[in-house]
Amino acid sequence: MPKITRVQCIRTRSGGTWVIVKVHTDQPGLYGIGSASDHYRASTVVEAIEQSLGPKIVGRDTGDIEDIWQSSLTSGYWRHDSIWNTALAGVDMALWDILGKEAGMPVYRLLGGPSRAAVPAYAHAAGNTLEELEQDVRRYLEDGWIYIRCQLGNYGGGGFLTPEQRRRPENARPPFDTPRRAFDDEAYLDTIPQMFAFLRDRLGFEPKLTHDVHEHLRPHVAVALAKAVEPYRLFFLEDLLPPEHVSYYWHVKQQCTTPQAMGELFVNPAEYLPLIQERLIDYMRIRVSKAGGITPARKIAHLCEWYGVHTAWQEGGDNDPVNQAAAMHLDMNAWNFGIQEENHFTEAELDAFPGHAVTKHGYIYPNAKAGLGLDLDETKAAALVDPERLKRHFYMAEDRRPDGTVVRP
Ligand code: MG
C-alpha cells in the first residue's frame, strides 16, 4: 500500500484563490490532487492543511480514505466548519485520485459506475435589461444548452432602486450609505415574476430556466416570490432563503410547487439533514469541497436518493477544475443526479490542468483517464498568479437597503 509522504498546497489563479492540494506518496510518480479553494480565505485553508492536517496524515496508507476522513474530522475536536471541511476535501479528493490511479479506473467507476453518458450542466445567462437577458439566453440555446439560469445583472438584480427611487437618510454616511445602489426586496418581488413572464412569452416553456435569489430576501418576501413565479414552471429556484431561515421552506412547500434548490452555504449536516428528511428542498447544492470532499458528498447523494432529492453540486465562478472534476465523477455515478452548474475558466486556466473535464453544448464530459482524470501543470499554475492580486483580501460584495442596513449575500 502506498504511503503518504508529503501534503503540498499550490495556490493558483490570478489572486491565488485556488488552492490545489497535492498528496505525494512513496511510490515513484504516484500522487493525487484535490481542491481546497476558498475565494475569500485561501491562506487560512493553506495554513490549516500545512500546520495541522498534513502533518497528521503523513505516513498513513493512501487507501485509508474513510478512516483518514473520520479521524481528521474530529482531530481538532470542533468540526464541520467551512475552513476545516475545505482542508479535508483537498486531501480526500487527492486520495480518491490516487486510488483511481492505482486501480487504473476513473473515480466514477470506483463509486459504482456510470448512471449516464455525460453530465448535463446549466448555463449562466444575464442581462441588465429584459432584452439583453433574452439575447443571452438565446445565445446559450443556439449553442445547444437546455438548462439556463436567468439573472437581471448581478445577484439581487431586479431589486435595486434607481437614484430617483431611493430615499436615503439625511445623515447617510459610510458604511450606512448607498451611493451606488440600494436593494429593496419588494421591488425584487415585483420584477422577477415579470422577468419570467417576459422570457416565457418570448421563448416558450421548452427551455429549463432557473433563478438564483442569493438569499437577498426577507423570509416572508421569499415565500411570496416562490409563489409568484409558480406559473412560469422553473427548473428550480435557488437560495431563496439564507441558512438561518430554512424553516420557512415549510411555508414555501405549503404554498406552491416551485422546485427549490439550496446548499452552497452549508457545511454542517445539522443544516441540511432536516431539509432532506422533510423533503423541503428538491435539489441539494453543497459545494463538494465545502462538504469535506468526495467521501461525505457521496453519502449525502445516497441519502438524498431515498428522499427523492436530487443533486446539483455548486460550481459557478469561484471553483477550480479539480472541484469541477470531483463533482462530475459524483454526478456520473449518482442515480439521483439533477444538474451541475457551469464554471467560468479562461483558456490559460484550463491549460494549467491537462486532462480537465470538457464542457460542450450543455454537457460536461469526463475522459477515460484513471483517477480524477486531470493533472496540475505547476509551471503554468504559477504563471497564472498575479503577485499584486495575491496580496489582496477578497470580500463578498455588500448590498444595502436604502437606510444603510446590510443585506445578507
Ligand atoms: Mg448560487
Side-chain angles (χ1 to χ4, degrees):
M1 181 79 76
K3 293 202 183 303
I4 299 169
T5 53
R6 184 183 166 208
V7 180
Q8 181 190 5
C9 292
I10 299 152
R11 288 180 66 177
T12 182
R13 207 173 216 191
S14 73
T17 55
W18 284 352
V19 178
I20 307 302
V21 176
K22 192 166 181 178
V23 174
H24 299 263
T25 77
D26 60 357
Q27 308 285 312
L30 181 65
Y31 60 86
I33 58 172
S35 164
S37 297
D38 188 305
H39 187 78
Y40 307 100
R41 288 165 190 165
S43 58
T44 314
V45 177
V46 170
E47 183 151 333
I49 294 168
E50 291 185 346
Q51 303 299 318
S52 186
L53 183 55
K56 182 181 188 308
I57 64 170
V58 164
R60 294 282 316 250
D61 289 346
T62 58
D64 292 352
I65 300 177
E66 181 71 28
D67 186 69
I68 287 174
W69 194 89
Q70 296 287 354
S71 57
S72 301
L73 173 72
T74 49
S75 61
Y77 191 34
W78 283 272
R79 61 267 202 170
H80 298 304
D81 67 83
S82 126
I83 298 298
W84 193 247
N85 278 9
T86 311
L88 285 175
V91 165
D92 182 76
M93 289 179 200
L95 294 177
W96 279 97
D97 190 27
I98 290 169
L99 188 65
K101 287 175 176 172
E102 281 189 277
M105 292 179 191
V107 167
Y108 71 81
R109 284 192 60 196
L110 299 180
L111 296 173
S115 292
R116 53 196 51 80
V119 170
Y122 72 85
H124 293 158
N128 289 320
T129 64
L130 293 174
E131 290 74 16
E132 276 178 28
L133 173 60
E134 183 196 346
Q135 285 314 306
D136 208 29
V137 173
R138 285 191 186 280
R139 180 172 67 86
Y140 277 108
L141 290 174
E142 282 159 20
D143 192 45
W145 294 69
I146 299 165
Y147 304 86
I148 299 169
R149 190 185 79 178
C150 304
Q151 304 293 130
L152 273 175
N154 296 326
Y155 296 126
F160 293 111
L161 302 180
T162 62
E164 303 76 53
Q165 290 170 312
R166 185 179 48 201
R167 292 185 55 205
R168 293 154 71 194
E170 287 176 5
N171 63 346
R173 67 194 188 284
F176 310 106
D177 196 7
T178 54
R180 197 164 58 90
R181 60 186 195 180
F183 183 77
D184 180 303
D185 60 1
E186 281 162 345
Y188 194 85
L189 178 60
D190 277 340
T191 309
I192 298 305
Q194 289 173 29
M195 176 187 89
F196 279 109
F198 176 88
L199 291 173
R200 287 305 193 199
D201 182 51
R202 302 292 179 103
L203 304 166
F205 278 76
E206 197 179 323
K208 297 178 191 295
L209 305 181
T210 83
H211 178 71
D212 189 354
V213 177
H214 228 256
E215 324 146 54
H216 269 56
L217 309 178
R218 290 171 295 166
H220 60 288
V221 177
V223 177
L225 179 73
K227 193 172 173 180
V229 298
E230 187 178 30
Y232 310 111
R233 286 212 330 253
L234 272 57
F235 182 73
F236 62 54
L237 188 59
E238 177 180 336
D239 287 338
L240 178 65
L241 293 158
E244 298 82 8
H245 292 310
V246 291
S247 297
Y248 273 83
Y249 275 116
W250 187 86
H251 298 282
V252 172
K253 284 289 178 192
Q254 295 296 312
Q255 294 278 338
C256 68
T257 58
T258 301
Q260 300 298 322
M262 190 182 181
E264 65 187 63
L265 278 171
F266 290 156
V267 290
N268 189 317
E271 295 170 313
Y272 49 79
L273 277 174
L275 293 178
I276 299 168
Q277 291 169 308
E278 294 178 43
R279 298 177 170 89
L280 294 176
I281 56 168
D282 303 281
Y283 294 88
M284 170 50 76
R285 277 187 48 72
I286 307 180
R287 180 184 294 196
V288 175
S289 63
K290 289 294 176 191
I294 292 171
T295 294
R298 73 183 175 127
K299 296 173 189 175
I300 295 167
H302 292 168
L303 178 76
C304 285
E305 178 184 333
W306 296 108
Y307 289 96
V309 176
H310 289 77
T311 62
W313 308 117
Q314 188 242 3
E315 284 296 325
D318 297 350
N319 271 305
D320 61 67
V322 184
N323 196 71
Q324 180 197 38
M328 176 189 66
H329 283 275
L330 288 158
D331 294 343
M332 283 294 290
N333 168 251
W335 175 79
N336 56 317
F337 159 77
I339 194 78
Q340 182 161 328
E341 185 173 8
E342 81 159 321
N343 296 84
H344 299 284
F345 304 136
T346 65
E347 282 303 316
E349 287 170 350
L350 284 175
D351 217 27
F353 292 88
H356 60 79
V358 173
T359 305
K360 213 160 92 182
H361 309 311
Y363 279 101
I364 304 171
Y365 294 90
N367 56 39
K369 288 186 183 139
L372 290 173
L374 79 175
D375 203 350
L376 178 68
D377 181 323
E378 292 185 44
T379 309
K380 287 179 179 170
L384 293 174
V385 179
D386 173 346
E388 283 310 305
R389 274 177 64 82
L390 190 64
K391 290 183 210 154
R392 265 185 58 186
H393 300 283
F394 295 95
Y395 301 97
M396 278 299 296
E398 274 182 24
D399 290 328
R400 290 178 183 272
R401 294 188 202 143
D403 68 1
T405 308
V406 73
V407 175
R408 290 197 175 160

PDB file of all heavy atoms in Angstrom, residues 160-168 187 402:
ATOM      1  N   PHE A 160     -32.771  46.525  -7.296  1.00  0.00           N
ATOM      2  CA  PHE A 160     -32.008  47.734  -6.989  1.00  0.00           C
ATOM      3  C   PHE A 160     -32.775  48.977  -7.432  1.00  0.00           C
ATOM      4  O   PHE A 160     -33.263  49.056  -8.557  1.00  0.00           O
ATOM      5  CB  PHE A 160     -30.625  47.673  -7.655  1.00  0.00           C
ATOM      6  CG  PHE A 160     -29.762  46.595  -7.076  1.00  0.00           C
ATOM      7  CD1 PHE A 160     -29.432  45.463  -7.811  1.00  0.00           C
ATOM      8  CD2 PHE A 160     -29.324  46.673  -5.754  1.00  0.00           C
ATOM      9  CE1 PHE A 160     -28.665  44.447  -7.258  1.00  0.00           C
ATOM     10  CE2 PHE A 160     -28.556  45.663  -5.191  1.00  0.00           C
ATOM     11  CZ  PHE A 160     -28.228  44.550  -5.949  1.00  0.00           C
ATOM     12  N   LEU A 161     -32.882  49.928  -6.529  1.00  0.00           N
ATOM     13  CA  LEU A 161     -33.634  51.149  -6.806  1.00  0.00           C
ATOM     14  C   LEU A 161     -32.773  52.127  -7.584  1.00  0.00           C
ATOM     15  O   LEU A 161     -31.558  52.197  -7.395  1.00  0.00           O
ATOM     16  CB  LEU A 161     -34.072  51.797  -5.493  1.00  0.00           C
ATOM     17  CG  LEU A 161     -34.925  50.916  -4.572  1.00  0.00           C
ATOM     18  CD1 LEU A 161     -35.300  51.691  -3.308  1.00  0.00           C
ATOM     19  CD2 LEU A 161     -36.187  50.433  -5.285  1.00  0.00           C
ATOM     20  N   THR A 162     -33.424  52.896  -8.447  1.00  0.00           N
ATOM     21  CA  THR A 162     -32.709  53.946  -9.174  1.00  0.00           C
ATOM     22  C   THR A 162     -32.428  55.093  -8.196  1.00  0.00           C
ATOM     23  O   THR A 162     -33.087  55.200  -7.145  1.00  0.00           O
ATOM     24  CB  THR A 162     -33.580  54.498 -10.320  1.00  0.00           C
ATOM     25  OG1 THR A 162     -34.748  55.084  -9.731  1.00  0.00           O
ATOM     26  CG2 THR A 162     -33.984  53.403 -11.296  1.00  0.00           C
ATOM     27  N   PRO A 163     -31.472  55.970  -8.518  1.00  0.00           N
ATOM     28  CA  PRO A 163     -31.194  57.101  -7.623  1.00  0.00           C
ATOM     29  C   PRO A 163     -32.446  57.935  -7.336  1.00  0.00           C
ATOM     30  O   PRO A 163     -32.616  58.446  -6.224  1.00  0.00           O
ATOM     31  CB  PRO A 163     -30.150  57.908  -8.401  1.00  0.00           C
ATOM     32  CG  PRO A 163     -29.474  56.886  -9.262  1.00  0.00           C
ATOM     33  CD  PRO A 163     -30.532  55.890  -9.637  1.00  0.00           C
ATOM     34  N   GLU A 164     -33.378  58.003  -8.295  1.00  0.00           N
ATOM     35  CA  GLU A 164     -34.610  58.787  -8.070  1.00  0.00           C
ATOM     36  C   GLU A 164     -35.548  58.078  -7.095  1.00  0.00           C
ATOM     37  O   GLU A 164     -36.232  58.728  -6.305  1.00  0.00           O
ATOM     38  CB  GLU A 164     -35.362  59.023  -9.393  1.00  0.00           C
ATOM     39  CG  GLU A 164     -34.571  59.719 -10.494  1.00  0.00           C
ATOM     40  CD  GLU A 164     -33.566  58.803 -11.191  1.00  0.00           C
ATOM     41  OE1 GLU A 164     -33.982  57.731 -11.649  1.00  0.00           O
ATOM     42  OE2 GLU A 164     -32.371  59.165 -11.240  1.00  0.00           O
ATOM     43  N   GLN A 165     -35.593  56.750  -7.196  1.00  0.00           N
ATOM     44  CA  GLN A 165     -36.499  55.986  -6.321  1.00  0.00           C
ATOM     45  C   GLN A 165     -35.982  55.916  -4.893  1.00  0.00           C
ATOM     46  O   GLN A 165     -36.745  55.766  -3.948  1.00  0.00           O
ATOM     47  CB  GLN A 165     -36.629  54.542  -6.839  1.00  0.00           C
ATOM     48  CG  GLN A 165     -37.381  54.387  -8.129  1.00  0.00           C
ATOM     49  CD  GLN A 165     -37.225  52.952  -8.641  1.00  0.00           C
ATOM     50  OE1 GLN A 165     -36.133  52.396  -8.699  1.00  0.00           O
ATOM     51  NE2 GLN A 165     -38.336  52.359  -9.017  1.00  0.00           N
ATOM     52  N   ARG A 166     -34.673  56.025  -4.771  1.00  0.00           N
ATOM     53  CA  ARG A 166     -34.043  55.746  -3.485  1.00  0.00           C
ATOM     54  C   ARG A 166     -34.132  56.963  -2.573  1.00  0.00           C
ATOM     55  O   ARG A 166     -33.738  58.055  -2.956  1.00  0.00           O
ATOM     56  CB  ARG A 166     -32.584  55.400  -3.765  1.00  0.00           C
ATOM     57  CG  ARG A 166     -31.778  54.976  -2.618  1.00  0.00           C
ATOM     58  CD  ARG A 166     -30.392  54.655  -3.101  1.00  0.00           C
ATOM     59  NE  ARG A 166     -29.854  55.700  -3.965  1.00  0.00           N
ATOM     60  CZ  ARG A 166     -28.874  55.533  -4.827  1.00  0.00           C
ATOM     61  NH1 ARG A 166     -28.328  54.379  -4.988  1.00  0.00           N
ATOM     62  NH2 ARG A 166     -28.441  56.543  -5.540  1.00  0.00           N
ATOM     63  N   ARG A 167     -34.656  56.786  -1.364  1.00  0.00           N
ATOM     64  CA  ARG A 167     -34.709  57.905  -0.407  1.00  0.00           C
ATOM     65  C   ARG A 167     -33.746  57.613   0.724  1.00  0.00           C
ATOM     66  O   ARG A 167     -34.051  56.857   1.640  1.00  0.00           O
ATOM     67  CB  ARG A 167     -36.144  58.089   0.083  1.00  0.00           C
ATOM     68  CG  ARG A 167     -37.062  58.579  -1.042  1.00  0.00           C
ATOM     69  CD  ARG A 167     -38.439  58.874  -0.537  1.00  0.00           C
ATOM     70  NE  ARG A 167     -38.441  59.815   0.562  1.00  0.00           N
ATOM     71  CZ  ARG A 167     -39.394  59.893   1.472  1.00  0.00           C
ATOM     72  NH1 ARG A 167     -40.425  59.100   1.397  1.00  0.00           N
ATOM     73  NH2 ARG A 167     -39.329  60.781   2.450  1.00  0.00           N
ATOM     74  N   ARG A 168     -32.570  58.230   0.632  1.00  0.00           N
ATOM     75  CA  ARG A 168     -31.531  57.985   1.639  1.00  0.00           C
ATOM     76  C   ARG A 168     -31.773  58.876   2.849  1.00  0.00           C
ATOM     77  O   ARG A 168     -32.300  59.978   2.722  1.00  0.00           O
ATOM     78  CB  ARG A 168     -30.155  58.295   1.041  1.00  0.00           C
ATOM     79  CG  ARG A 168     -29.774  57.321  -0.063  1.00  0.00           C
ATOM     80  CD  ARG A 168     -28.811  57.927  -1.047  1.00  0.00           C
ATOM     81  NE  ARG A 168     -27.481  58.125  -0.510  1.00  0.00           N
ATOM     82  CZ  ARG A 168     -26.550  58.870  -1.094  1.00  0.00           C
ATOM     83  NH1 ARG A 168     -26.835  59.496  -2.225  1.00  0.00           N
ATOM     84  NH2 ARG A 168     -25.367  58.994  -0.572  1.00  0.00           N
ATOM     85  N   ALA A 187     -39.310  45.483  -4.436  1.00  0.00           N
ATOM     86  CA  ALA A 187     -39.074  45.768  -5.861  1.00  0.00           C
ATOM     87  C   ALA A 187     -38.677  44.478  -6.581  1.00  0.00           C
ATOM     88  O   ALA A 187     -39.124  44.195  -7.695  1.00  0.00           O
ATOM     89  CB  ALA A 187     -37.969  46.816  -6.015  1.00  0.00           C
ATOM     90  N   PRO A 402     -32.006  51.015   1.454  1.00  0.00           N
ATOM     91  CA  PRO A 402     -31.872  52.490   1.382  1.00  0.00           C
ATOM     92  C   PRO A 402     -31.441  53.122   2.706  1.00  0.00           C
ATOM     93  O   PRO A 402     -30.725  54.119   2.723  1.00  0.00           O
ATOM     94  CB  PRO A 402     -33.269  52.952   0.971  1.00  0.00           C
ATOM     95  CG  PRO A 402     -33.824  51.806   0.199  1.00  0.00           C
ATOM     96  CD  PRO A 402     -33.286  50.572   0.886  1.00  0.00           C
TER      97      PRO A 402
END
